[in-house]
Amino acid sequence: GGGGGEDANGNDVPVYTISEVGEFNISEHTLENSTEKSVNATRPKSLVIRIELPSAAKASELDLDVSDYKLALKSVPDNKSKHNYAMDVRFSYPVIGDDGSAKWDKVKKILTVTVPVVAAEGEELGSKRIQEVEVVAGAGAGAGAGAEVAKDTFKEMEEEESKTANGKKKKKKKKKAENSNDPPPPPP
């Protein structure tokens, strides 16, 4: 946790804790020898920030602002309970601030803020991303078998394209016939 004490302006910094909820382990979705993603191997689904505000009587005395990178909380000026809270916390992960929710526990005087974490790149792609990586590795093999395979694939793709192009042309002709200048048929 963090907080407690006063900041440079003499405001009370509330004591708070940040918990990470629902860790998503992306090492299951990456190649075993790939080190590029091991830095962010786990990223939580959401962050839960619990802020202790013992002097606050109700949530309306607090001004909470959650952006995609930080949480800012301060006391509403001239509030009835005369508290003077101020805090500014940067998150370890980018979050979706607009989808966050806040809950005030008036008995414990704790404000609980929950914000969803933005998924790390490649997480939601899963196996698709891995296939792409492998294809790139194969193409980089240079001359020899790898290059031959690549040529064949390219040829097939070209043939496919010309087929679809012909198909499209036929369709276009049909449309022209329908949209010709003939007068519309008389109603039955």
Side-chain angles (χ1 to χ4, degrees):
E6 288 190 353
D7 66 10
N9 303 320
N11 297 311
D12 293 325
V13 179
V15 173
Y16 65 90
T17 55
I18 298 185
S19 318
E20 299 183 357
V21 179
E23 287 198 349
F24 189 113
N25 191 346
I26 53 172
S27 62
E28 301 161 0
H29 297 277
T30 47
L31 301 168
E32 279 172 34
N33 58 0
S34 163
T35 50
E36 65 167 320
K37 289 285 179 211
S38 58
V39 185
N40 271 348
T42 53
R43 185 176 269 208
K45 280 267 189 280
S46 55
L47 297 177
V48 178
I49 306 97
R50 288 166 60 89
I51 308 160
E52 296 176 27
L53 302 153
S55 308
K58 46 186 188 280
S60 57
E61 298 177 347
L62 303 162
D63 182 7
L64 175 70
D65 180 37
V66 181
S67 73
D68 294 350
Y69 292 96
K70 65 175 194 161
L71 174 150
L73 175 114
K74 55 183 189 289
S75 297
V76 171
D78 307 319
N79 62 75
K80 281 205 181 102
S81 309
K82 295 189 167 39
H83 49 76
N84 197 14
Y85 290 122
M87 68 182 283
D88 206 40
V89 184
R90 264 192 94 75
F91 300 127
S92 327
Y93 311 96
V95 301
I96 306 164
D98 292 344
D99 290 355
S101 62
K103 198 173 124 220
W104 172 246
D105 184 330
K106 58 176 186 282
V107 178
K108 294 179 179 163
K109 308 283 181 86
I110 290 174
L111 181 69
T112 304
V113 182
T114 307
V115 279
V117 171
V118 176
E121 262 179 71
E123 272 181 18
E124 63 286 347
L125 296 175
S127 56
K128 185 175 169 226
R129 196 179 76 83
I130 294 167
Q131 283 166 357
E132 282 167 12
V133 172
E134 283 170 351
V135 170
V136 171
E148 280 304 307
V149 171
K151 253 187 235 162
D152 287 350
T153 317
F154 192 64
K155 215 187 277 174
E156 277 170 29
M157 276 163 64
E158 271 183 343
E159 280 167 18
E160 277 299 308
E161 270 172 29
S162 61
K163 266 185 215 157
T164 47
N166 291 345
K168 276 182 195 155
K169 272 180 199 152
K170 274 180 196 153
K171 274 184 194 153
K172 267 189 193 151
K173 268 185 197 156
K174 249 190 207 160
K175 264 203 179 130
K176 257 188 199 150
E178 288 163 13
N179 301 339
S180 64
N181 296 330
D182 296 344

